[in-house]
Amino acid sequence: MFDLAKMNDKQRRASHALIRRGSMRHLLHERQQELYDLVHTNPESMIYSSRKVGKSYAMVVLGIEHCIRNPNQIVKHTFPTLTLAKEVVSELMGKIIPFLPEDIQPRAYRGARPHWVFPNGSVYHINGADPGSINGLRGPRCDLFLLDEICFYDKGSFTDTLFGAIIPQQTTV
């Protein structure tokens, strides 16, 4: 994984060229690259992995990459609770966004439901699957769902999330 402070101009230009082409794989360490490759070969992947591998970081990279590659997309990154989603994704966005070329960096909107809007119209939402947050998952469509820490969803919330929000939004995309 790159350290932004240690990148020279040539490395930064090369990184920006890859990102503009829609590839952010180079921002991941070896284990995260394995997860990245798995997801790109099987988009409906479920990854079961030990702690501290960097799954959430890799998922945020995948979501940002999807937004950059595809205009007017909706990405929803969901955690067991909205509070956890805010803590984790906001921190990771703060680490990843500085690597993006300035003209394609998203604008952050803080509040009850933080989200990031990219210049090409794509939007990256974060949500919780807890009963108090599940309505934020609903909508007419979602182009990419990222379900994080799924083993910590309670059974009822997961069922509501899957059948009440995810499946209905995936029928048209």
Side-chain angles (χ1 to χ4, degrees):
M1 188 164 28
F2 285 102
D3 180 348
L4 188 60
K6 294 180 181 177
M7 288 177 73
N8 62 38
D9 286 338
K10 184 177 180 179
Q11 289 171 321
R12 189 180 319 276
R13 282 193 306 274
S15 176
H16 284 182
L18 287 169
I19 292 168
R20 286 184 190 287
R21 287 195 300 255
S23 177
M24 295 176 62
R25 186 179 187 274
H26 66 285
L27 298 179
L28 304 172
H29 63 64
E30 185 178 350
R31 292 296 311 255
Q32 292 168 324
Q33 288 179 355
E34 292 173 12
L35 300 176
Y36 177 98
D37 294 342
L38 176 65
V39 170
H40 276 281
T41 56
N42 182 6
E44 294 178 4
S45 297
M46 179 170 281
I47 297 166
Y48 182 80
S49 179
S50 62
R51 308 228 19 100
K52 298 298 179 189
V53 170
K55 297 177 298 293
S56 295
Y57 186 96
M59 291 174 82
V60 171
V61 165
L62 286 162
I64 291 172
E65 186 182 83
H66 186 84
C67 287
I68 290 170
R69 280 184 181 177
N70 307 290
N72 302 310
Q73 296 287 290
I74 297 172
V75 171
K76 292 184 180 178
H77 194 154
T78 306
F79 280 78
T81 67
L82 181 58
T83 301
L84 183 60
K86 287 178 182 180
E87 290 172 11
V88 174
V89 178
S90 294
E91 178 186 341
L92 294 175
M93 284 289 201
K95 291 179 179 179
I96 298 168
I97 289 173
F99 282 101
L100 304 179
E102 286 186 30
D103 63 312
I104 62 173
Q105 289 183 2
R107 182 169 177 198
Y109 291 88
R110 308 275 182 229
R113 297 207 182 276
H115 60 282
W116 291 261
V117 178
F118 288 78
N120 67 359
S122 291
V123 183
Y124 192 112
H125 292 276
I126 58 174
N127 294 284
D130 48 315
S133 303
I134 195 160
N135 284 334
L137 284 171
R138 301 187 197 290
R141 76 173 225 277
C142 178
D143 302 290
L144 177 64
F145 264 105
L146 301 167
L147 304 176
D148 212 327
E149 300 287 351
I150 200 166
C151 61
F152 295 110
Y153 289 37
D154 72 57
K155 186 178 179 183
S157 292
F158 179 72
T159 301
D160 288 347
T161 300
L162 184 62
F163 295 105
I166 296 173
I167 291 173
Q169 290 180 68
Q170 294 290 294
T171 59
T172 60
V173 295

